Every structure is written in C-alpha cells, then in structure tokens.
Amino acid sequence: MEAVAEGLWGLADYHENKGEIGKAVKCLEAICQSHVSFLPIVEIKTRLRISTLLLKHTHNVNHAKSHLERSQLLLKAIPSCFELKCRTFSLLSQCYHLVGAIPPQKLILYKALDLTSSASQDVAVKLWSCNFNSQLANAFIIEGDYQSSISALQSGYVCATEISYPDLQMFFATAILHVHLMQWDDENSVLRSISQCDRVWESIDPNRRGLCLGLLFYNELLHIFYRLRICDYKNAAHHVDNLDAAMKADMQKMQEIQQLSSELDALNQSLSRPDLPSRERSALAGRQVKLQHRLRSLEDSSLTGKEFLEPSYFGNARQAWGDKLVLAPSPMDGEWLPKSAVYALVDLMVVILGRPKGLFKECMQRIQSGLQTIQDALLKLGITDGVREVDLQHSAIWMAGVYLMLLMQFLENKVAVELTRSGFVEAQEALVQMKNWFIRFPTILQACESMIEMLRGQYAHSVGCYNEAAFHYVEAAKITESKSMQAMCHAYAAVSYFCIGDAESSSQAIDLIGPVYQMKDTINGVREEASLHFAYGLLLMRQQDFQEARNRLAKGLQIAHNHMGNLQLVSQYLTILGNLALALHDTVQAREILRSSLTLAKKLYDIPTQIWALSVLTALYQQLGERGNEMENDEYRRKKLDELQKRLADAYSSIHHIELISKVKLEVQQFHELDIKRAMANQSMSVNLDIPESIGLSTPLPVQSSSRLVDLDGGRRGKRKI
C-alpha cells in the first residue's frame, strides 16, 4: 500500500504544479477515504499535505483544521515523530488563529512547547520552540495581553541566542519593539528595545545583512514609527531614505529576474525544436547556461520563501516567488506583511515626510502608486465594488484589514494635500471615498471613524462652514478614546468657533479650549502642544492680552519649525504673529514676518494663507502710508481672492458638499459581535501605525475688509494624528 500512497502523492504534486489544486486534494483524500487501511504515518503525512494545500491556496480553513485534528489524534499513539508532531501543532495553531479560536490556539501551543522542552535541545528543537513562542505572542496580542506577548517573544529570543542565530535574534528583537510601540506605556522600554535592535543588527555579518531584506524593512519601519510618534521627522528621514533605496533596488532586481525568466523560457522553447541546426543549438545552449547562472545568482542574493514548510499566506491568495519579505528561517512563519503591503507602507512614509515640506508632486505620485498597489491586492482578496464586510471569508479579514487601513491612510493624506493647496473638489472626492469604504467595512475600519469626522470638520472649515466644522470636531472627540486626539479636536473646534465671531461662539470656544489648555502638561506629543498653543493664543488675542498671546504663539511656532518641520503650519503661525506685531505697532517686525509667511504660502500653493498674509500686509502699508506697495499688494490679493472664490463656487456646487458638511453622524450596520472582536484584534496587530501627521491649521475665509483681519479674526485648523 505504501507504493499506492507514493503514487498518489506524486500525482498530487503533478496537479499542484499545474495549479489544479482541487485535483491535488482529491488525490490525497483518496488515501484518507480508502477502505483499505494505510499505515498511520502515511495517513498523518497525507492529512498534513492536504491541510497545507488548503491553507496555502484556499479559504477552507475548517476543512484543514479537521484534517489536522485527526492527525493530532493519530500522533498521540506514536511515541516518536517529533517533526510531524511539531508541524501538526504549528498548522493547527494557525487554523485556530484564522477562525478566531484563541483559547484553543493557546492550549495547542502550550502542548507544543511542552513537547519541545522534553526533547533533546538541538538546533531543530530550538527552532520549533521559536516558532511556537512567536505564534503564542501573536495570540496574546489579539487578547490585548502585551506583557505575556513580550514574555513569549523574550523566550524565543533566548532560544535564538542559545543556537547563535543572529537573524532569528533580530526577528524577536524587532517583534518585541513592535509590541512596545503598540502598548506605548513606557517610552524607556521602547528606547531599550530600539537599542537592542540596533545592537543585534550590527552583530550580523554585513554580507549576511544584504540577504535579510525582510528584517531590514521591518526594523527600519519600526524605527520610523517611533520617530513619527514623537514627531522627530529629522531623524526619521534617513530611515525612510534607506527603505526607499532598498525598495527600488529590489524592484529593479525582480524586474531583471522576470526578464531573464522570460528570455530563458523562449530560449528553452527554441532548443526543444528537433530541426534546430547544431551550430545554432550550440550557441543557444551556451546562452542558456549564462542565463541560468545569472538567474541563480539573483535568486540566491536574498532569503526567499521557497524553503518554507509553513503556509504563512494565512488563507490568502498564494504569493509567487519573490513576493515574500522573509523575516526568519524555517520552520518559522516567514513574513510580517506581504511585500506589496510593505512597499505601500514605504510610499506612505515618503508621503508623510514629504508633505509637510510641500513636496506635493512627489507625494501625489507616491499616493497614486500606493493606491494602485492596494487596489490590486484587494482584488486578489476578492474585494470588488459590491463586496461588503459581511461578505468576507473569515480568513481574509486579517489581510483585508491591513490593506484597507493602508488605503484609508493614503486617502487621508490625499485629502490633506488637496486642502492645503485649496483643491476642495479633489478633497471632497477623496473624503467621500473614505466615507464609502468605512460604510462598507465598519468594523475593520472602526478606528477610522474619528479620523473621518475630523476630516469632515477640516473640509467644512476650509470652505468657510465654521459652525458645521465645530460640530464634526466635537463629534470626532466623542468617538475617540485618545486623550491627545480629544484635546486636538477641542482645539480645532475652538478655532472654528472663534472664526464665527459672535459672542455666543466665542463663549463656546473658551469653554472648549480653557480646560484643555490647563491640562496640556498631561497630554504627550508636540503636535498636540502646537495645536493647543495656537488656539489658546487666539483666545488671548480675543481677550486683548497681546503680549502673552505673542509668547504662546512664539512657542508654538518654535515647535512647528524645530520639531514638526511643517511649512504650512510655520506659514500660518508667522501670519498670525505678523498680524499681532501690527496690532502692537511693531511694523518692522510685522513686515519681515509677513513676507516670510507669504513666501512659504506661495511655495505650498496655499491660497487662503496667501490672502490672509496679503490682507495684513495691505493694512501694514496703509499704516505706513506706502501707497504704491498698498495698491500693488491689494491688486495681487484681489487676484488670489477671485481664484479662491472660483474654487469655492466649484466646491459648493458639488453633489458631495452638503453630504460632507451636514451635521449628521455616519450610520453603519455593525458586523457580528464575534467577528467585530476578531477583526479589530487582527487589525491592531497588523498595522497599528499610529503615525502622527499634520495638514496645518485652517484659515478663515478672507473678507473684503482687511481691517477685520487686523482685528485678529485669523483662526486656523490645528494638528492631528492618524
């Protein structure tokens, strides 16, 4: 019977290589369903093979789980077979993970670790111990048990150290850093983890580092997340440059591999011709050897997933060779995110660092690139125009969450770019896309609800609908549990109320900003501090406390310039400080400040800030009696005002305008409770970026009288974070 089994195994391999997965599974199931008994070891290997096929190529997780549970029962009666037992435990753990059965997953992993602890402590056993600790850490993350997750990862790190495997040590060091970044309860712990990652990375041989592309991306991205979290854009930049260079080099290499493979296929086709002259055959054979050698050298220049036994695709579409960014050796689950998701993240990092500097052309190219990558990935997951959250296979929720969150991040940045350069209609379109995606996938994208409300507020403020803007900012604060986010939302709402200008609105602004500003020392983050200083500076100006207002605003400007590097925010701070200097009759400083502000606003194509600065400059020239400068300046201001009014008219006439500004919260139908818990848990583990961003502060729409601007009616939108 063993010969029969060998034959069916071979036939299954043949069908798999042809992509006929159903036929391959039927060949293998013929062994399990046979009336004639096979040896238990044959049945176990067959069921493992079926499970691997199902997990790698289909969403049929429950079927795979049934085969693995049967294999586990058979293995209980066999005292040996350590490798088969470990494979069964590992695959069964992944099945429980995919169906959201975390308690059974933890139980099976505890049994697996007991098995490894009782076995001889050789390299293979240690590697399996690393595998199980890694999966156990992930299970703890889903339950929100960060400390237990870190303990499991530290156990894995110890095993990797005992077998002197720096690559594996780096895998666990970066995973520990990842958990600390998600937990974020102690910045010193984060710094210690970063130091450990740096130390382990330096211990890896430089030649070997070039092969560890997955670890390079994972480590650099985590460093960037930390730097962006603390708004240290300057030190984040070189990490982004490293990633961008590595991504472009890998894309170039993969393109060359594809070209060589195509050429080799064509050459092999020519060599298969029986009538090929011998001289020509000899030349082609020589060319064939060179191509094969070059192809082999390229494929060997990085770790790939070809040798991996574990179906680390987690029920999603099978990835071709080269589509994996391997993090650890077999038998570990080999990747953090698919290569396409990581490359989209790199594009997103370039956008986040480039947009505050006004590099809009590069940013829009990266946004389009990232959106295209994500759309292609969503199509492979079966997410087309009509698909909603309830239609998803459970095993697809995790990966769908990764790409959908990235999609929202790109769209958010697109809204930010367009609002900065007064592209109101384009901002509408991107914001409506965000809204529609959220309505279709409300649980997976639950963390985006507050962001969407805030963006609705920013859009409303940008087009002069201050009352509606304040409503959406307050709603965004109600939705989020983040104290920092709440503080910024209240600051933005206060600015919108100040722009309305009447006594009641000013009172509402004071009620919002006063208590929050008193608590500013308990709120972490320079972005929060910058927005609070701006709003409180406006309050002090309203109260005619000009000197203290100047102090607060100067401090906010210093933060915007030194820590955030946000040119739009700097320009807006300069404009209001120039306005304040004029109110204090410091005309020399006012002229200098306002010219700097206008220069920055022009660079950013920020029309409202240009008009604001020009209006104050006109008032300055009036005060100084510089009639020529006043007329020239005011003519340019009117030109910009006409341009802005045309853009506003286009925005007001759009079918989306009322939909976005209306004082109505988003209403969605929630998913099943169990799946809500599962989807959100997976999302937090997969792409909890917490990337701080800024689109600056929002100008009140300019009025015809420049005197009103001199009277300090210059509210803006504050800083926000993703």
Side-chain angles (χ1 to χ4, degrees):
M1 294 302 294
E2 287 188 22
V4 174
E6 291 281 358
L8 287 169
W9 285 346
L11 189 58
D13 287 341
Y14 170 77
H15 285 304
E16 184 189 6
N17 290 333
K18 291 182 66 178
E20 299 170 338
I21 307 305
K23 291 181 180 180
V25 171
K26 285 182 179 179
C27 290
L28 297 169
E29 287 189 332
I31 298 173
C32 302
Q33 297 166 359
S34 172
H35 297 297
V36 181
S37 297
F38 287 87
L39 292 172
I41 197 71
V42 171
E43 183 178 348
I44 291 166
K45 288 181 177 179
T46 303
R47 291 185 184 277
L48 280 171
R49 183 82 177 101
I50 294 171
S51 302
T52 301
L53 282 172
L54 292 173
L55 289 172
K56 187 177 287 188
H57 299 283
T58 77
H59 290 286
N60 201 341
V61 181
N62 286 319
H63 194 181
K65 181 166 70 71
S66 298
H67 281 291
L68 291 166
E69 288 171 339
R70 175 62 180 163
S71 296
Q72 189 191 10
L73 286 174
L74 293 171
L75 282 165
K76 283 183 178 179
I78 303 176
S80 55
C81 299
F82 174 82
E83 185 74 17
L84 286 177
K85 288 179 179 178
C86 286
R87 281 178 54 83
T88 303
F89 280 136
S90 182
L91 291 172
L92 190 53
S93 166
Q94 291 186 29
C95 287
Y96 286 138
H97 172 91
L98 287 171
V99 299
I102 304 306
Q105 182 190 16
K106 288 164 60 180
L107 183 62
I108 208 76
L109 289 170
Y110 285 135
K111 290 180 180 179
L113 287 168
D114 286 342
L115 175 65
T116 58
S117 64
S118 61
S120 60
Q121 297 301 295
D122 58 19
V123 172
V125 174
K126 292 287 187 183
L127 287 172
W128 277 113
S129 181
C130 288
N131 173 304
F132 300 135
N133 274 304
S134 173
Q135 293 196 57
L136 185 60
N138 197 36
F140 282 128
I141 283 292
I142 290 170
E143 294 183 330
D145 188 349
Y146 296 110
Q147 197 52 53
S148 295
S149 177
I150 290 172
S151 296
L153 292 170
Q154 287 173 336
S155 297
Y157 182 84
V158 169
C159 285
T161 304
E162 289 172 350
I163 58 177
S164 302
Y165 213 132
D167 300 16
L168 203 49
Q169 288 176 266
M170 189 64 190
F171 167 77
F172 284 105
T174 48
I176 290 169
L177 173 57
H178 194 169
V179 178
H180 278 305
L181 287 171
M182 286 193 292
Q183 185 181 19
W184 198 266
D185 64 342
D186 177 14
E187 190 172 346
N188 289 328
S189 298
V190 178
L191 289 171
R192 285 194 295 271
S193 291
I194 289 174
S195 297
Q196 184 182 36
C197 288
D198 293 341
R199 186 171 62 253
V200 175
W201 185 248
E202 288 300 320
S203 72
I204 300 175
D205 183 84
N207 295 325
R208 178 70 178 170
R209 275 184 232 151
L211 304 178
C212 303
L213 193 61
L215 285 173
L216 169 68
F217 277 92
Y218 192 26
N219 184 45
E220 293 286 354
L221 280 168
L222 292 176
H223 277 65
I224 293 168
F225 295 164
Y226 168 70
R227 293 296 171 188
L228 294 181
R229 178 66 181 264
I230 62 173
C231 289
D232 185 1
Y233 292 93
K234 183 178 180 180
N235 286 312
H238 79 274
H239 292 289
V240 174
D241 291 341
N242 290 344
L243 282 182
D244 200 31
M247 179 181 75
K248 289 175 179 176
D250 184 64
M251 291 173 69
Q252 185 177 354
K253 186 184 77 171
M254 296 310 300
Q255 184 178 8
E256 185 178 356
I257 288 174
Q258 188 175 11
Q259 291 172 346
L260 288 171
S261 298
S262 298
E263 186 178 350
L264 193 58
D265 289 343
L267 193 147
N268 290 336
Q269 188 72 24
S270 298
L271 285 171
S272 67
R273 286 169 42 201
D275 60 340
L276 191 67
S278 58
R279 191 168 187 174
E280 189 174 341
R281 182 180 297 278
S282 176
L284 289 177
R287 176 63 178 163
Q288 181 189 43
V289 171
K290 291 181 180 179
L291 287 176
Q292 289 173 337
H293 177 74
R294 176 60 180 161
L295 193 58
R296 198 177 304 114
S297 67
L298 286 172
E299 291 178 344
D300 290 343
S301 66
S302 64
L303 296 175
T304 73
K306 290 164 63 175
E307 76 278 14
F308 280 68
L309 303 177
E310 301 302 300
S312 55
Y313 312 100
F314 272 24
N316 298 295
R318 186 182 182 185
Q319 295 163 289
W321 179 87
D323 284 347
K324 287 173 67 70
L325 287 170
V326 175
L327 293 179
S330 178
M332 300 291 293
D333 175 35
E335 65 178 352
W336 168 44
L337 294 174
K339 182 185 283 189
S340 60
V342 173
Y343 284 0
L345 261 177
V346 175
D347 280 333
L348 182 62
M349 296 302 101
V350 173
V351 172
I352 286 174
L353 263 69
R355 189 171 56 71
K357 300 175 184 176
L359 305 176
F360 295 148
K361 183 177 179 180
E362 169 75 3
C363 289
M364 291 306 295
Q365 289 174 347
R366 296 301 183 115
I367 288 172
Q368 292 305 319
S369 170
L371 288 174
Q372 186 60 57
T373 298
I374 293 164
Q375 293 287 3
D376 292 344
L378 290 176
L379 282 176
K380 290 178 182 178
L381 290 170
I383 299 177
T384 54
D385 289 344
V387 174
R388 302 173 71 88
E389 195 169 72
V390 292
D391 303 320
L392 287 180
Q393 293 281 345
H394 202 141
S395 56
I397 290 176
W398 184 83
M399 195 55 68
V402 171
Y403 285 107
L404 287 170
M405 283 296 293
L406 283 170
L407 176 69
M408 297 295 269
Q409 303 267 355
F410 277 108
L411 289 174
E412 182 193 11
N413 275 275
K414 187 174 183 180
V415 173
V417 169
E418 299 300 353
L419 288 182
T420 299
R421 58 187 187 182
S422 305
F424 304 127
V425 173
E426 293 80 3
Q428 284 178 356
E429 293 170 355
L431 189 46
V432 168
Q433 286 185 56
M434 293 181 72
K435 182 180 175 183
N436 292 339
W437 280 108
F438 175 74
I439 290 171
R440 288 170 58 192
F441 299 91
T443 11
I444 292 176
L445 297 176
Q446 190 173 39
C448 299
E449 185 177 8
S450 177
M451 178 212 308
I452 293 171
E453 281 300 314
M454 180 177 282
L455 287 174
R456 291 176 74 185
Q458 290 169 341
Y459 167 76
H461 195 127
S462 296
V463 296
C465 302
Y466 306 126
N467 199 291
E468 291 84 352
F471 170 84
H472 290 297
Y473 287 140
V474 172
E475 286 301 316
K478 292 177 183 176
I479 295 168
T480 184
E481 295 180 0
S482 166
K483 297 297 182 185
S484 296
M485 187 73 141
Q486 290 169 358
M488 288 189 293
C489 288
H490 286 157
Y492 308 154
V495 172
S496 294
Y497 279 129
F498 279 135
C499 288
I500 296 172
D502 58 38
E504 181 183 354
S505 298
S506 295
S507 177
Q508 289 174 300
I510 292 169
D511 291 341
L512 282 170
I513 193 60
V516 175
Y517 194 78
Q518 297 303 317
M519 298 170 55
K520 71 179 188 307
D521 293 336
T522 65
I523 299 172
N524 295 322
V526 293
R527 59 187 179 274
E528 295 87 349
E529 192 175 353
S531 63
L532 290 174
H533 279 307
F534 192 95
Y536 198 69
L538 279 179
L539 171 60
L540 292 170
M541 291 164 70
R542 293 285 185 183
Q543 296 172 342
Q544 304 296 304
D545 189 351
F546 294 153
Q547 193 56 52
E548 184 59 25
R550 175 184 273 185
N551 294 338
R552 304 289 183 177
L553 291 168
K555 187 171 183 180
L557 172 62
Q558 186 178 23
I559 293 170
H561 182 263
N562 294 341
H563 296 282
M564 295 162 59
N566 188 308
L567 297 186
Q568 186 189 25
L569 196 54
V570 170
S571 173
Q572 293 161 344
Y573 260 112
L574 287 172
T575 303
I576 199 168
L577 281 166
N579 199 350
L580 182 56
L582 184 59
L584 294 170
H585 306 291
D586 187 350
T587 55
V588 175
Q589 187 179 60
R591 186 196 297 263
E592 183 180 341
I593 291 174
L594 291 167
R595 282 179 174 173
S596 298
S597 171
L598 184 59
T599 299
L600 289 176
K602 285 180 178 179
K603 178 180 179 180
L604 298 169
Y605 310 103
D606 183 355
I607 299 174
T609 302
Q610 289 183 53
I611 295 170
W612 188 18
L614 289 165
S615 299
V616 184
L617 275 170
T618 298
L620 170 66
Y621 295 140
Q622 283 178 344
Q623 195 174 113
L624 295 174
E626 298 180 8
R627 183 64 178 165
N629 285 337
E630 178 190 344
M631 293 178 63
E632 181 183 351
N633 195 76
D634 201 50
E635 181 182 354
Y636 186 64
R637 183 189 68 83
R638 285 196 300 270
K639 178 183 175 183
K640 285 296 173 183
L641 187 58
D642 290 342
E643 182 181 349
L644 180 61
Q645 293 299 341
K646 183 180 182 305
R647 292 175 183 243
L648 287 170
D650 292 340
Y652 294 153
S653 62
S654 166
I655 59 174
H656 301 308
H657 175 69
I658 299 299
E659 172 191 354
L660 291 175
I661 69 168
S662 61
K663 295 182 180 181
V664 178
K665 288 178 59 179
L666 295 175
E667 292 186 7
V668 295
Q669 181 180 357
Q670 289 293 344
F671 212 1
H672 187 273
E673 183 179 355
L674 174 64
D675 288 331
I676 288 174
K677 188 181 296 184
R678 177 65 185 164
M680 291 191 65
N682 270 332
Q683 177 185 307
S684 67
M685 178 59 184
S686 62
V687 62
N688 183 6
L689 307 181
D690 193 20
I691 303 166
E693 243 319 279
S694 167
I695 64 175
L697 300 160
S698 182
T699 325
L701 290 184
V703 291
Q704 295 299 324
S705 171
S706 62
S707 64
R708 189 174 174 205
L709 287 165
V710 176
D711 288 339
L712 312 173
D713 191 11
R716 288 288 171 122
R717 188 172 59 236
K719 185 77 177 68
R720 65 171 173 76
K721 75 167 185 176
I722 293 174

